[in-house]
Amino acid sequence: MNRKKRINQILKAKVKKTNAKIHKSNKPKYISKAERAKMEQEQESQEQNLTAEPETPNEQ
């Protein structure tokens, strides 16, 4: 009985692993609070650079 139970457990585990690989989660990757703050600072600095640069007319 123990041998049958062990074999069934192994087979069920294999099926479970393959199903987990097939059905991947749509959950977005976790981004830490420090990383989010860093990304926000970079975005703000880029926006400031775009607004700080004066538009030059095209010379022809």
Side-chain angles (χ1 to χ4, degrees):
M1 184 66 183
N2 286 337
R3 189 177 344 147
K4 287 183 181 179
K5 183 178 177 184
R6 189 178 69 227
I7 291 170
N8 282 334
Q9 283 179 337
I10 292 169
L11 293 175
K12 284 180 184 178
K14 283 184 180 182
V15 169
K16 188 175 179 182
K17 285 181 184 179
T18 55
N19 282 337
K21 286 182 180 180
I22 292 171
H23 304 290
K24 293 191 178 185
S25 177
N26 291 333
K27 187 175 168 182
K29 184 181 175 187
Y30 176 74
I31 301 174
S32 68
K33 190 174 182 180
E35 190 67 29
R36 282 180 283 178
K38 182 180 175 184
M39 289 171 52
E40 188 176 318
Q41 276 184 338
E42 289 175 359
Q43 187 177 15
E44 287 177 2
S45 66
Q46 287 178 356
E47 289 175 0
Q48 287 176 356
N49 287 341
L50 291 176
T51 58
E53 293 177 4
E55 295 183 21
T56 58
N58 294 337
E59 295 181 23
Q60 293 179 348

